[in-house]
Amino acid sequence: MNISKIMRVAAREFASTAMTKGFIIGALVLPAMMALIIPVVLLLSINAQPPADTGKIYILDRSGEVNETVSERLSPEAVEQRWQERAENAKDFAKNILGNNKATESIDQASIVIDTPVFQVIPTAPDVDIEELKEEMRLQVASGTVPADELDNLLAIIEIDADATRKANDEEGFGVYQAFFRPKLNEETIGEIEGSIRWSIREHRYLNAEIDRDEVTELSSVKARESKEITEEGERKESSGISSFVIPFASLMLLLMASMTGGQYLLTTTVEEKSNRVVEVLLSAVSPLELMTGKIIGQMGVGLSLLMVYNFVGIIALITFSMGDLISPLTVILIFIFFLLAYFMFASLMAAIGSAVNDLREAQSLMTPVMLLMMMPYIFFMPVIRAPNSMFSTIVSFIPPISPFIMIMRVASNDPPPNWQIALAILLNMIAVVLFLWIAAKVFRVGLLMFGKPPNFRTLFKWIRMA
């Protein structure tokens, strides 16, 4: 093979893909937009709320004790105070995620307007027929209209057993309550109503048992200072959730995205050149093997560019949030090594498929097994990440072509594999790369000038033997 020709093909392939405005915008603008959008999304999430429900709630309290407490608990003032506290807690949660920066200041200064539901609690007689109350709700729902006075809109009917606050006997225990809701109520509204009913029933159980609720709450509440991790540099915020889940998942996504992007571009350009008969002109200057090698190397540069950009953005984000030590330099190096191994295997398959078909529609049937292989790391994510050094995780990390994706998850986890396993995985994948490239070269050489009916897998095996 002529190295000069291969590099010319690679440079042309890289330039035709990576030097376009669309690719540059997608590669550079997307990370910048994400950095700008995250604080905005957090602000919107804090303020996002569905329209508040307004209406009446029938309380059929057969115990005769809960009505007054429920009415106080669901009063407009009490509901508004609880919802405002939740909004402030959401702001604190968002600030903890973002750390100390300008985005945190903007969230801290953001004013939150809470549109709280308004309830009118109507106690009913203990002996009222609940079916009559249900019929009123059925008629309102059937009419499909909201009453002129929104407080006449029946939201819920609550039936509380007579022994809900006092045991009828020790064998049966306490009674229960049952709620009947109008369709399509907000989940927040349902949660507020049911939470208030449970709170009120518990309050009277405490009173009847002569137990102080505040004392019970104090005894059962165990507070703690902020968790810390001890590192070589000193103390830092506890980040087990990020290091055990986010970092491995981000590493997997980086590898998949970079491998798939380069591979898809390789498939597309190969099919286009074949269908337009450009490949016949190219083969007058270079051999099929030189053309395939140059195209694979050129699109490798595309995937590598994306991987470098997103790696840089991710590392800067971790440093910004004082979490730079969550990912080691070795992990970054291994991401690039496993990318090269994964890319060459999948690019070989893409090049073989692209050379064998006449258009992208024909490529879909041959692409199905490849896409299934690409989905395997997603399927194995949870078993691998929960037990990185289990027998299953160890075995699948040695099976090409999914081995690079599984191994990078294990490397980025809280319990990385031994160095010998990493070295063995790299060696096995290097052997697999040679095998995949050999098979792809056989198919590429025969299929590039084949036109007409698209081949099936049996035909592809014949081409491999022919070449």
Side-chain angles (χ1 to χ4, degrees), residues 41-224:
V41 170
L42 288 173
L43 281 172
L44 292 175
S45 300
I46 293 170
N47 285 284
Q49 49 184 314
D53 292 311
T54 300
K56 60 185 178 183
I57 302 171
Y58 286 138
I59 305 293
L60 177 53
D61 178 18
R62 303 192 189 280
S63 71
E65 296 184 341
V66 183
N67 274 329
E68 185 178 349
T69 307
V70 172
S71 299
E72 293 176 359
R73 184 77 179 176
L74 290 176
S75 66
E77 298 80 11
V79 172
E80 183 177 4
Q81 180 181 354
R82 287 195 297 275
W83 282 48
Q84 192 65 45
E85 289 175 356
R86 290 171 195 158
E88 293 299 327
N89 291 336
K91 283 178 65 173
D92 293 339
F93 176 74
K95 289 190 292 184
N96 287 335
I97 291 177
L98 292 175
N100 296 320
N101 51 45
K102 292 182 179 180
T104 306
E105 295 175 7
S106 63
I107 288 178
D108 196 30
Q109 295 169 1
S111 59
I112 301 177
V113 179
I114 302 298
D115 190 12
T116 57
V118 178
F119 305 124
Q120 180 185 16
V121 179
I122 302 178
T124 66
D127 58 348
V128 72
D129 185 1
I130 192 171
E131 293 302 323
E132 295 180 4
L133 304 180
K134 293 180 184 178
E135 184 62 25
E136 180 181 344
M137 181 179 286
R138 287 193 197 99
L139 293 173
Q140 278 196 6
V141 172
S143 68
T145 58
V146 179
D149 186 353
E150 289 188 350
L151 285 176
D152 289 334
N153 191 30
L154 181 54
L155 301 180
I157 302 167
I158 309 297
E159 182 183 20
I160 301 174
D161 289 353
D163 55 350
T165 58
R166 298 174 186 267
K167 291 181 182 179
N169 54 67
D170 292 335
E171 294 180 359
E172 296 183 5
F174 287 106
V176 298
Y177 78 92
Q178 186 173 13
F180 303 91
F181 291 106
R182 185 187 189 91
K184 300 180 181 179
L185 284 184
N186 297 328
E187 290 296 325
E188 293 84 354
T189 300
I190 294 174
E192 182 66 50
I193 294 172
E194 292 207 285
S196 297
I197 296 297
R198 289 193 292 268
W199 190 94
S200 302
I201 291 174
R202 281 197 300 268
E203 177 69 14
H204 284 278
R205 288 179 181 177
Y206 291 144
L207 289 173
N208 295 333
E210 297 182 354
I211 297 174
D212 185 356
R213 174 191 279 272
D214 294 336
E215 185 176 347
V216 172
T217 303
E218 184 179 2
L219 289 172
S220 59
S221 175
V222 180
K223 297 181 180 179

Side-chain angles (χ1 to χ4, degrees), residues 26-27 116 150 176 180 307 381 419 457 463:
T116 57
E150 289 188 350
V176 298
F180 303 91
L307 189 62
F381 176 75
N419 290 332
F457 287 104
W463 289 1

Side-chain angles (χ1 to χ4, degrees), residues 188-299:
E188 293 84 354
T189 300
I190 294 174
E192 182 66 50
I193 294 172
E194 292 207 285
S196 297
I197 296 297
R198 289 193 292 268
W199 190 94
S200 302
I201 291 174
R202 281 197 300 268
E203 177 69 14
H204 284 278
R205 288 179 181 177
Y206 291 144
L207 289 173
N208 295 333
E210 297 182 354
I211 297 174
D212 185 356
R213 174 191 279 272
D214 294 336
E215 185 176 347
V216 172
T217 303
E218 184 179 2
L219 289 172
S220 59
S221 175
V222 180
K223 297 181 180 179
R225 287 184 286 273
E226 184 182 41
S227 299
K228 299 281 189 179
E229 290 181 352
I230 305 298
T231 66
E232 296 178 4
E233 293 77 18
E235 297 181 0
R236 72 174 184 196
K237 284 185 178 181
E238 191 270 333
S239 55
S240 59
I242 296 176
S243 59
S244 63
F245 182 86
V246 177
I247 300 298
F249 184 74
S251 301
L252 169 65
M253 290 304 298
L254 278 174
L255 225 59
L256 282 169
M257 180 185 66
S259 302
M260 280 299 294
T261 301
Q264 287 284 4
Y265 279 128
L266 179 61
L267 173 69
T268 303
T269 57
T270 303
V271 172
E272 287 178 352
E273 289 171 0
K274 181 178 178 181
S275 61
N276 296 333
R277 301 298 179 100
V278 175
V279 70
E280 297 176 10
V281 179
L282 294 174
L283 289 178
S284 65
V286 295
S287 68
L289 189 56
E290 289 170 343
L291 179 61
M292 187 194 79
T293 306
K295 291 176 73 66
I296 289 177
I297 293 175
Q299 293 298 342

